[in-house]
Amino acid sequence: MIEDIVTAALARMAEGSGAALIDLIRGYFSRNQESSQELELLDRAEGGGLSPHDEQELRELLLRYADQDPAFRDQLQRVTTSVGASNSVTSSVVQKLIQAQNVGDVTM
């Protein structure tokens, strides 16, 4: 399960949709006083410049931290999990329909 979460996290970063994820990891690294080398690794990930070696190093770090800290693992999973919905409205009364999932700090 941890491997799946980390793989999803790395995929999000690779596709360029991992800003919230990188912020989460950077916050975790900062709170745990990780080395500047690990923070530089995140800077490269944010810029889309991860080499295969960097990606493997980040994978190993995330696997270790997710295994050691269940709260971090849960946060990582929450940020990397896509939740989709498909709705069908058949009423003639509905003129406008707005669907929202995350709006600021409110989750619906």
Side-chain angles (χ1 to χ4, degrees), residues 38-83:
E38 291 171 344
L39 293 172
E40 289 171 8
L41 179 62
L42 280 179
D43 290 340
R44 288 193 298 277
E46 188 172 37
L50 282 181
S51 69
H53 174 75
D54 287 342
E55 186 174 330
Q56 183 60 35
E57 186 177 345
L58 186 55
R59 174 182 296 280
E60 290 170 6
L61 284 171
L62 292 177
L63 285 170
R64 184 174 71 226
Y65 295 135
D67 186 48
Q68 293 172 353
D69 186 341
F72 175 66
R73 181 179 58 237
D74 291 345
Q75 289 177 322
L76 196 61
Q77 183 175 20
R78 195 172 325 114
V79 173
T80 59
T81 303
S82 294
V83 178

Side-chain angles (χ1 to χ4, degrees), residues 3-38:
E3 179 71 35
D4 294 338
I5 295 168
V6 170
T7 299
L10 293 172
R12 287 227 181 219
M13 284 186 229
E15 68 187 18
S17 64
L21 178 62
I22 290 173
D23 288 344
L24 170 72
I25 297 167
R26 183 175 283 122
Y28 183 81
F29 283 3
S30 296
R31 283 190 304 279
N32 291 291
Q33 300 173 343
E34 297 306 322
S35 72
S36 61
Q37 183 181 10
E38 291 171 344

